[in-house]
Amino acid sequence: MPATIVLGAQWGDEGKAKIVDFLGADAEVVVRFQGGANAGHTVKVDDQTYIFHALPVGGINPNTLCVVGNGVVLDLESFFAELDDLTERGLDVGEGRVFVSNCAHVVMPYHKALDQAAEASKGSGAIGTTGRGIGPAYRDKIDRTHGIRVMDLLDTERFRDRLRGAIAEKNQLLTQIYDAEPLDAEQIIRDYLVFAERLRPLVTDTSVLLNEALDEGKRVLFEGAQGTLLDVDHGTYPYVTSSNTTAGGACSGAGVGPTRIDEIIGVTKAYMTRVGNGPFPTELLDDEGERIRELGQEYGATTGRARRCGWFDATIARMSSRVNGLTNLALTRMDILDTVETLKLCTAYRLDGEVLEEFPADPRVLDKCTPIYEEVEGWCAPTTEARHYDDLPDKAKAYVARIEDLSRTKVSLISVGAQRDATIRVDE
Ligand code: IMO
Ligand code: MG
């Protein structure tokens, strides 16, 4: 801290929420800067499990301000359902604690309908999106014709006009391209004007709020969603999400300059998972993959889909360190590997007889790569009770050290369980 970005260094679901929650204990502000309700950030506190989709995980902490930045695409249905759920569970997530950027774009019902229709029409070429309207909402933002920002929603006349303009085009797409049902503009207007009044007291210029917090020396955590390999520029395009999930996205998506950032933590599992389609060089399609999926209960928090599992890929870790300028890694889910006798680390790829050290940007090249593995003896001992680095079995320490070496990035945090205290600060 003071300004720390926590982001995914793999394909999402790395355990970012657990790390944000752990570090958030002494953060005054936590901000989401990209993505939307495609995120499923799970935190376990005592016997309670919270899954955040729109709100930053900081919501659990009574002293933390929660900010939804300008780079987020905001799904108001999901957002208010989340606020209601948290309120029922005794958390204060009202005015004065939750702030929403006036510049964030709103995910509309037609974005979800188009996301689902487009995916269905692609057959085996589908991206495997979460169906939350993310791509279509960002498309409207970038396209500049029909995007609806929070500030537009709060201006009733302007909203009506923009919505009617948008729906004319969206219904044509839905009915004529996708053979789907049209949506009722007047119904959407009625529903969203109700949302607008509920949203109004939370809306502000969050860039001003965040920069003022930093000026006052407050600690601000930037909570990434998805992961580096899902970044629209640096990920495994086109099997990516529609935002910049990498460190630069934290600055543009929060309205904070890069010179203000002190620390960038890449969260990475001790193995790898991916949900959705697209390349995954170290994927395990055998019993070993099934075993890791069961040990780790690797099923999606947003869609419930089974996650694909594979070995830790250092080629990817190096790429992630490079594009994000990581200052350190948080290594999660170490405990899941406690019973695995032999582990594998992918050190580089082999391509046409040559060794490739850098992750290739071209998916056709990636397809031809085979991982080069190094076998590492498993520690075969429980790590869940470890609270200091020295509590870890020697072989587990060796695994961490090898990951640091291969990734060329220091591991500063290790998670050995879902609970907040099951976390090791390496240099303590
Ligand atoms: P968190 O924040 C894992 C994946 C989808 C799909 C691709 C595009 O919980 O780590 P989208 O709906 O964004 O257009 O889908 O991205 N994806 C995620 N995978 N964790 C996530 O979020 C994800 N959000 C999107 O599965 O492959
Ligand atoms: Mg998730």
Side-chain angles (χ1 to χ4, degrees):
M1 304 253 198
T4 303
I5 300 174
V6 176
L7 51 79
Q10 298 171 330
W11 274 292
D13 302 327
E14 299 91 346
K16 297 176 288 292
K18 148 89 200 252
I19 300 300
V20 169
D21 177 57
F22 178 76
L23 296 173
D26 41 43
E28 279 132 311
V29 186
V30 183
V31 51
R32 275 278 308 269
F33 55 84
Q34 46 69 233
N38 48 351
H41 294 175
T42 308
V43 185
K44 294 196 174 151
V45 184
D46 304 323
D47 60 345
Q48 294 280 321
T49 300
Y50 301 90
I51 302 179
F52 292 84
H53 298 289
L55 209 64
V57 162
I60 293 181
N61 193 333
N63 303 316
T64 306
L65 301 186
C66 300
V67 177
V68 176
N70 57 277
V72 166
V73 286
L74 184 61
D75 177 340
L76 289 169
E77 242 180 280
S78 160
F79 179 67
F80 287 125
E82 201 167 309
L83 292 189
D84 288 341
D85 174 54
L86 294 173
T87 306
E88 251 172 55
R89 293 164 74 175
L91 297 181
D92 166 18
V93 284
E95 208 181 322
R97 270 213 74 207
V98 173
F99 298 88
V100 174
S101 168
N102 54 350
C103 293
H105 279 246
V106 182
V107 177
M108 301 303 297
Y110 45 79
H111 292 134
K112 291 184 225 179
L114 284 167
D115 187 2
Q116 289 157 21
E119 281 284 279
S121 76
K122 285 181 187 157
S124 62
I127 296 170
T129 71
T130 58
R132 300 298 152 102
I134 304 299
Y138 277 115
R139 185 196 302 162
D140 275 346
K141 170 177 175 171
I142 302 302
D143 189 48
R144 299 159 299 167
T145 307
H146 292 306
I148 294 180
R149 298 201 281 178
V150 163
M151 65 174 86
D152 302 323
L153 177 64
L154 297 189
D155 178 337
T156 304
E157 278 320 302
R158 185 172 166 76
F159 172 61
R160 278 206 186 98
D161 278 357
R162 290 194 68 76
L163 197 278
R164 286 182 186 134
I167 203 92
E169 183 202 75
K170 307 305 172 185
N171 275 346
Q172 273 201 346
L173 284 171
L174 283 169
T175 55
Q176 292 177 26
I177 306 280
Y178 296 115
D179 207 14
E181 290 299 310
L183 298 175
D184 177 358
E186 300 312 310
Q187 184 63 49
I188 297 176
I189 291 172
R190 281 194 295 277
D191 292 347
Y192 277 71
L193 287 178
V194 174
F195 285 147
E197 288 322 303
R198 204 175 158 191
L199 190 62
R200 193 180 297 281
L202 311 181
V203 177
T204 190
D205 184 330
T206 50
S207 166
V208 171
L209 182 151
L210 292 165
N211 280 278
E212 281 177 1
L214 289 167
D215 290 343
E216 289 163 22
K218 292 193 171 143
R219 283 149 304 179
V220 179
L221 259 184
F222 297 76
E223 175 178 337
Q226 292 80 54
T228 298
L229 288 164
L230 291 171
D231 182 283
V232 66
D233 284 282
H234 301 289
T236 47
Y237 191 91
Y239 298 98
V240 293
T241 191
S242 300
S243 64
N244 283 117
T245 59
T246 42
C251 294
S252 57
V256 169
T259 51
R260 309 223 60 173
I261 306 298
D262 301 290
E263 199 181 13
I264 306 172
I265 301 177
V267 185
T268 185
K269 277 176 175 156
Y271 48 96
M272 298 199 73
T273 62
R274 170 165 210 171
V275 60
N277 303 330
F280 182 175
T282 62
E283 181 170 16
L284 287 162
L285 295 164
D286 54 9
D287 291 350
E288 193 76 58
E290 187 57 40
R291 185 175 169 205
I292 293 177
R293 176 159 44 249
E294 287 315 309
L295 285 169
Q297 281 304 296
E298 293 291 358
Y299 297 91
T302 299
T303 57
R305 290 178 291 177
R307 296 178 184 142
R308 300 154 65 190
C309 298
W311 297 122
F312 185 91
D313 186 338
T315 328
I316 284 172
R318 285 194 294 274
M319 182 277 250
S320 179
S321 190
R322 165 167 51 85
V323 300
N324 290 302
L326 296 182
T327 51
N328 31 44
L329 288 171
L331 192 62
T332 58
R333 314 219 86 196
M334 272 294 277
D335 54 305
I336 302 305
L337 301 179
D338 282 355
T339 56
V340 182
E341 298 81 8
T342 308
L343 301 162
K344 285 185 185 171
L345 288 171
C346 167
T347 58
Y349 300 141
R350 191 166 311 283
L351 175 68
D352 300 330
E354 305 275 321
V355 175
L356 195 66
E357 293 270 343
E358 298 295 341
F359 188 76
D362 185 340
R364 288 162 299 185
V365 175
L366 188 59
D367 264 348
K368 288 192 231 149
C369 289
T370 48
I372 301 174
Y373 285 117
E374 185 174 288
E375 277 197 2
V376 184
E377 261 184 85
W379 45 95
C380 297
T383 56
T384 43
E385 300 297 320
R387 296 293 175 269
H388 302 279
Y389 189 65
D390 281 336
D391 300 339
L392 288 175
D394 285 345
K395 285 177 185 161
K397 286 186 207 160
Y399 188 69
V400 175
R402 193 64 188 129
I403 283 180
E404 283 187 320
D405 259 9
L406 291 168
S407 311
R408 300 182 199 128
T409 312
K410 187 170 163 33
V411 172
S412 61
L413 293 169
I414 300 171
S415 170
V416 291
Q419 292 294 334
R420 195 181 276 169
D421 69 334
T423 314
I424 297 170
R425 283 189 196 267
V426 173
D427 45 11
E428 261 177 14

